[in-house]
Amino acid sequence: MSLIWGGISFCLPTFMIGALPVPGLSWAGAFWVNVIGNAICAILIALAGYAGVASGLPAVVLWRRYFGSVIGGRLVPLAIFCSTCGWFGLLLAATSDGLFEMLPPGSPASHALLTVAIGAAMTITSMLGNSAILLVNRLSMPLLMLLIIYHFYHAVTDGTPYFDTAYLPTGETDFFTVLNLIIAGYIVGAICSSDFSRYAKDLRANWLGAIIGVFLVSLFLSYIGMYIKLATGQWNPLKAVYFAGSGPISVAIIVLSAWTTNHALLYSAALSLTSLAGASRPALYAVLAGCVGTAMALSEAASSLEGLLTWLSYLFPALLGLFLSHYFAVSRLLPGGAPGYAAVAALLSGSLLPLLLPEWAATMAGILIGAGVYTGWSWITDRQRRVRLKEFTMGNGRST
């Protein structure tokens, strides 16, 4: 589990999100917002993974089982598919852009051809399933960590001028706004958590996977992203490696960091298509998802990453709150499940009410409102059921 979540976390957006508070917050503030944000993300992913560990089922199957064919079988898989393909496109675009910039002048490879070739290569492991994803991550993660640590150590200790800049916070960034964006960046991962937690041996393995693969890996990369933003004015870690004169290392980091994330995204996208189509053809659906994500990369959607995170902060938190409240509370109150209108009310309120709140509160508010409305409505339904049962019992007692 640590390798799966670590591979998903080890991507360029993690550097970017980690660098968001620099130079707006103080260095301590930037560090602690990343600590708190990544800790919350790890907890949410671990909690959402409980259902997968207990049932051995992927997220889309659980959503259909919990919330029926409309919300669970259509709305949620479609939302997951659009989001995972979007993230695939964003990472693919960043990967092809980085590699294209390193090509020598006059190279016959076009940007579009490079994008399509990389997208096709990244689709292969998702077609082969979880075992192939785990194998690639097992080989890539140690190498990526060693490359990053080695070259940044030399960049700092060799006195590279990019790391000599004094840190002067501008005060233009709000702590909670950055915290909201960090959590929003992992919301889809939490919703899809059961896709991978179903392979965990037990809850302990589920928690260790989230703590090591999400919290520690993301915090490490976020801190490097902070350093790079300070040193170069940009979040991209490849600049520092490139300045160190290590072009081949840059290529390895670009490709492997995107690969370990993108094949997991396509895996979840393929499972979503399975739920939508009602037929189990994961390899075919992985190819279709890869084609959609590659088309998004060619449309240059990567320029709107922060806008996408903001959009996600309103759409998915209510769904996550709904899922968590069902597993931990509602399924115990109402073993047969809550009425469908309770889920609809929770989804609408959790998605719309945060629009009335400050942007920095959107993600956690959506989770709490969605969970609170669904649990509260289910509690009321359970109380009404108990009252009717009591009245029925008393009526039968009087009639006899």
Side-chain angles (χ1 to χ4, degrees):
M1 288 303 298
S2 300
L3 289 171
I4 292 290
W5 284 116
I8 295 174
S9 301
F10 208 118
C11 59
L12 294 182
T14 305
F15 294 99
M16 190 218 74
I17 295 173
L20 285 176
V22 176
L25 298 178
S26 67
W27 191 257
F31 174 76
W32 282 110
V33 75
N34 277 299
V35 170
I36 296 171
N38 286 304
I40 292 174
C41 292
I43 291 171
L44 292 175
I45 285 175
L47 291 176
Y50 269 56
V53 176
S55 65
L57 297 173
V60 290
V61 176
L62 292 172
W63 276 100
R64 181 186 289 272
R65 176 177 292 186
Y66 291 169
F67 303 108
S69 60
V70 177
I71 293 179
R74 293 289 182 268
L75 175 62
V76 174
L78 180 61
I80 292 174
F81 177 78
C82 293
S83 178
T84 49
C85 286
W87 276 107
F88 177 90
L90 291 172
L91 294 177
L92 178 57
T95 302
S96 58
D97 288 346
L99 292 179
F100 189 74
E101 290 180 3
M102 295 181 184
L103 292 177
S107 174
S110 68
H111 185 276
L113 180 61
L114 187 62
T115 301
V116 172
I118 297 171
M122 291 178 174
T123 305
I124 294 175
T125 44
S126 63
M127 290 173 55
L128 298 176
N130 183 74
S131 58
I133 292 174
L134 185 59
L135 176 61
V136 172
N137 286 10
R138 183 177 287 117
L139 296 174
S140 301
M141 284 299 297
L143 177 60
L144 282 168
M145 286 293 186
L146 288 174
L147 291 176
I148 289 289
I149 293 172
Y150 175 80
H151 284 281
F152 277 94
Y153 171 79
H154 280 283
V156 175
T157 57
D158 292 347
T160 303
Y162 296 99
F163 290 90
D164 292 339
T165 308
Y167 186 73
L168 299 174
T170 62
E172 297 176 352
T173 304
D174 180 73
F175 184 95
F176 292 101
T177 299
V178 177
L179 184 64
N180 178 73
L181 289 172
I182 293 173
I183 300 171
Y186 265 106
I187 282 292
V188 177
I191 290 177
C192 300
S193 181
S194 295
D195 290 348
F196 305 104
S197 67
R198 61 184 171 137
Y199 297 109
K201 294 181 180 179
D202 48 33
L203 290 177
R204 179 176 178 271
N206 177 58
W207 274 101
L208 284 176
I211 292 171
I212 298 173
V214 177
F215 176 67
L216 293 180
V217 172
S218 295
L219 183 60
F220 170 70
L221 299 181
S222 296
Y223 194 68
I224 291 178
M226 290 167 53
Y227 244 114
I228 292 301
K229 184 71 173 291
L230 168 65
T232 68
Q234 300 184 36
W235 58 268
N236 195 337
L238 301 174
K239 285 189 173 293
V241 180
Y242 185 75
F243 288 143
S246 302
I249 301 301
S250 297
V251 172
I253 293 174
I254 291 174
V255 174
L256 292 178
S257 62
W259 204 315
T260 55
T261 303
N262 271 358
H263 58 195
L265 291 172
L266 288 187
Y267 181 73
S268 291
L271 290 175
S272 299
L273 280 182
T274 298
S275 179
L276 289 169
S280 182
R281 298 176 180 174
L284 173 62
Y285 295 149
V287 173
L288 292 176
C291 291
V292 172
T294 302
M296 290 182 175
L298 292 172
S299 66
E300 299 181 354
S303 60
S304 58
L305 178 57
E306 188 169 339
L308 175 63
L309 292 179
T310 302
W311 177 71
L312 291 177
S313 71
Y314 291 106
L315 180 62
F316 287 102
L319 289 173
L320 180 58
L322 203 64
F323 187 86
L324 293 176
S325 65
H326 182 93
Y327 181 80
F328 288 103
V330 175
S331 61
R332 290 160 174 76
L333 285 174
L334 301 171
Y341 53 78
V344 173
L347 180 59
L348 290 175
S349 58
S351 299
L352 297 178
L353 289 180
L355 294 173
L356 305 176
L357 301 175
E359 186 176 307
W360 57 264
T363 302
M364 290 306 300
I367 295 172
L368 295 175
I369 292 172
V373 170
Y374 189 60
T375 303
W377 203 310
S378 301
W379 181 81
I380 293 172
T381 301
D382 179 61
R383 293 282 296 177
Q384 293 173 341
R385 180 182 63 84
R386 291 175 182 272
V387 170
R388 288 194 298 267
L389 180 61
K390 183 177 180 181
E391 291 175 349
F392 177 77
T393 304
M394 293 177 63
N396 283 344
R398 287 195 296 267
S399 64
T400 54

